[in-house]
Amino acid sequence: MTKSRTFLAALAIGLSAVAAPAIIAPAAAATVDTSDPGRFVTSLSGEAFRVLRTGSKASARGQFRQLLGQYFAVDAIGDRLIRSWRAKISPAQYQAYQAALPGFLINTYADRLYDYADAKVAVTRSVPRGNGAAVVSQVTRPGGNPVTAIWTVETIGGGPKITNLTVAGVNLVLTQTADFDSYIQKNGFDKLVAFMRSRAG
């Protein structure tokens, strides 16, 4: 991945999936505008960058868990990553995967975000799609070329949720799914979970 894609992968997949839905800060909910998909993406990304610029890595991780836990479809994203294997694994394997996924993703992606705290996300248009929209944005860093990012927003549980992100034509959930599929085919599902646990530190 390019550095820009790495940043967005971290934001869309890594931090979304590490969120803890049961721990949601009321203050975070008040800072995100959910009135329409475009404003939602603009305010959510702005709040995420504010967290990056104002806190330590440890405090930012906690705030991301609270902020993004409310606005990303955590369970749906995790299930999509192992869709082709879901019917083939036992309930115990599935529970082990769910337990390992948050730590794996936060340690894989979260620290990389600090290199991109000066990035800006500008929404250019929003295209209605199903029960939500595809929100098209430009992500730029000082001195760098803009990168197009398309955020998939769906209404889930009465509110907007991010369910995927396509960066420069690369569908990030599909890419991560392919990585998981390849690992499982070579090593088995239990080895994937063990690998995720090892990366979770």
Side-chain angles (χ1 to χ4, degrees), residues 17-196:
V18 304
I23 307 173
I24 298 173
T31 62
V32 176
D33 183 347
T34 61
S35 60
D36 69 60
R39 290 191 179 96
F40 171 60
V41 168
T42 297
S43 60
L44 178 59
S45 58
E47 180 65 9
F49 284 123
R50 183 196 65 76
V51 169
L52 282 177
R53 290 190 291 264
T54 59
S56 66
K57 288 185 179 182
S59 65
R61 285 183 178 185
Q63 290 181 68
F64 273 123
R65 287 177 186 269
Q66 295 171 342
L67 178 66
L68 301 185
Q70 185 168 357
Y71 298 114
F72 281 74
V74 178
D75 292 339
I77 291 171
D79 286 347
R80 286 181 66 185
L81 297 180
I82 59 167
R83 177 180 294 171
S84 62
W85 303 96
R86 183 68 180 87
K88 304 173 185 177
I89 61 176
S90 69
Q93 287 175 309
Y94 180 59
Q95 291 174 1
Y97 164 78
Q98 287 183 308
L101 186 63
F104 166 76
L105 290 174
I106 196 169
N107 283 287
T108 299
Y109 294 111
D111 289 344
R112 301 178 190 177
L113 285 169
Y114 285 88
D115 294 333
Y116 299 90
D118 58 352
K120 294 183 179 180
V121 178
V123 170
T124 59
R125 66 184 185 278
S126 181
V127 182
R129 180 181 295 173
N131 68 342
V135 179
V136 182
S137 66
Q138 294 288 307
V139 181
T140 57
R141 294 185 67 200
N145 294 323
V147 175
T148 298
I150 304 173
W151 308 68
T152 303
V153 181
E154 297 180 32
T155 301
I156 299 174
K161 304 276 188 180
I162 302 294
T163 59
N164 199 3
L165 183 62
T166 299
V167 183
V170 178
N171 184 308
L172 296 175
V173 168
L174 291 181
T175 298
Q176 185 67 62
T177 299
D179 289 345
F180 275 13
D181 283 347
S182 176
Y183 195 97
I184 294 168
Q185 288 168 4
K186 293 177 181 177
N187 304 286
F189 193 85
D190 290 338
K191 287 289 182 66
L192 171 68
V193 173
F195 171 70
M196 292 166 63

